[in-house]
């Protein structure tokens, strides 16, 4: 194991064990290096790496702190990596969405509030029956973000938010080239919302699967 990797593992061990908690300030560099049996250079490299992963927060002139470790904060690193996807990996992103998003939608069926249902309904009404493809895709992102947020699982929400971006271009392409793609998307949104309103988790899961799989199936044939 490289020296920097060893240093990262030791700091990680302190956080996992509870010796360092969210919001805690790390000991002085010289003290921490001595306690962990590390050189100050390897400790600095480890701190730099962990700050890039949003696990540590280096505050100039103040010290280094453990972040909140909130899932959304930690998963920002995933979003950064996702931005470098290649076009030929879009199908893989869609496949992951097809696995995760129906589960989140099923969870939302039992947890979504009446006010959230009213808000989703208003979103669809505001979009109308004949939106442009760009308007539809933007609204689609907000619609699914609202549902996943209602699942009550912040990790799922952050993961799916990061995975949605790479599929945007494919969805616009489909809307422009596939007959009735806009109408089909609107009908599927209404079906998902209807299942949520009925508190029918399995119907919500099924409609979410159909909705994502239809984009995946189209893209697979188009490629």
């Amino acid at each position: 194991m490289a020296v920097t990797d060893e240093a990262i593992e030791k700091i990680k061990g302190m956080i996992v064990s509870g010796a360092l908690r969210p919001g805690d300030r790390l000991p002085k560099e010289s003290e921490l290096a001595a306690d962990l049996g590390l050189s100050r250079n390897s400790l600095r490299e480890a701190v730099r790496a962990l700050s890039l992963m949003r696990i540590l927060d280096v505050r100039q002139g103040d010290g280094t702190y453990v972040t909140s470790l909130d899932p959304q904060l930690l998963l920002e690193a995933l979003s950064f990596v996702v931005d470098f996807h290649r076009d030929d990996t879009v199908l893989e992103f869609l496949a992951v969405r097809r696995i995760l998003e129906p589960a989140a939608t099923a969870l939302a069926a039992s947890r979504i509030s009446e006010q959230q249902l009213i808000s989703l309904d208003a979103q669809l009404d505001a979009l109308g029956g004949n939106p442009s493809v760009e308007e539809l895709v933007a609204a689609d992102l907000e619609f699914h973000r609202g549902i996943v947020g209602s699942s009550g699982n912040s990790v799922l929400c952050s993961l799916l938010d990061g995975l949605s971006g790479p599929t945007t271009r494919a969805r616009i392409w489909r809307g422009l080239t596939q007959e009735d793609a806009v109408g089909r998307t609107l009908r599927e949104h209404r079906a998902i919302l209807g299942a949520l309103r009925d508190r029918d988790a399995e119907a919500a899961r099924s409609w979410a699967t159909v909705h994502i799989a239809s984009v995946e199936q189209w893209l697979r044939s188009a490629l």
Side-chain angles (χ1 to χ4, degrees), residues 19 22 50 57 91 132 140 156 161 172 182 192 209:
L50 290 168
D57 179 19
L91 276 170
S132 69
D140 182 75
L156 260 180
D161 211 34
I172 291 175
V182 172
I192 292 169
T209 302

Side-chain angles (χ1 to χ4, degrees), residues 9-84:
E9 284 300 315
K10 287 185 174 181
I11 297 172
K12 174 186 167 186
M14 293 180 71
I15 295 170
V16 171
S17 70
L20 286 172
R21 298 181 179 277
D24 281 356
R25 181 177 176 174
L26 268 64
K28 289 182 180 178
E29 184 183 89
S30 56
E31 295 175 10
L32 186 58
D35 288 345
L36 297 178
L38 300 168
S39 71
R40 293 175 70 169
N41 279 341
S42 61
L43 179 60
R44 286 190 199 114
E45 289 299 320
V47 167
R48 188 176 293 115
L50 290 168
S51 68
L52 288 172
M53 290 186 272
R54 311 304 295 272
I55 292 169
L56 297 179
D57 179 19
V58 180
R59 304 176 190 173
Q60 208 64 36
D62 185 12
T64 300
Y65 292 79
V66 181
T67 67
S68 65
L69 302 180
D70 180 83
Q72 187 167 1
L73 181 69
L74 298 179
L75 287 167
E76 282 181 8
L78 171 66
S79 297
F80 181 78
V81 172
V82 162
D83 285 340
F84 290 95

Side-chain angles (χ1 to χ4, degrees), residues 22 104 155 206 219:
V155 175
S206 296
L219 183 58

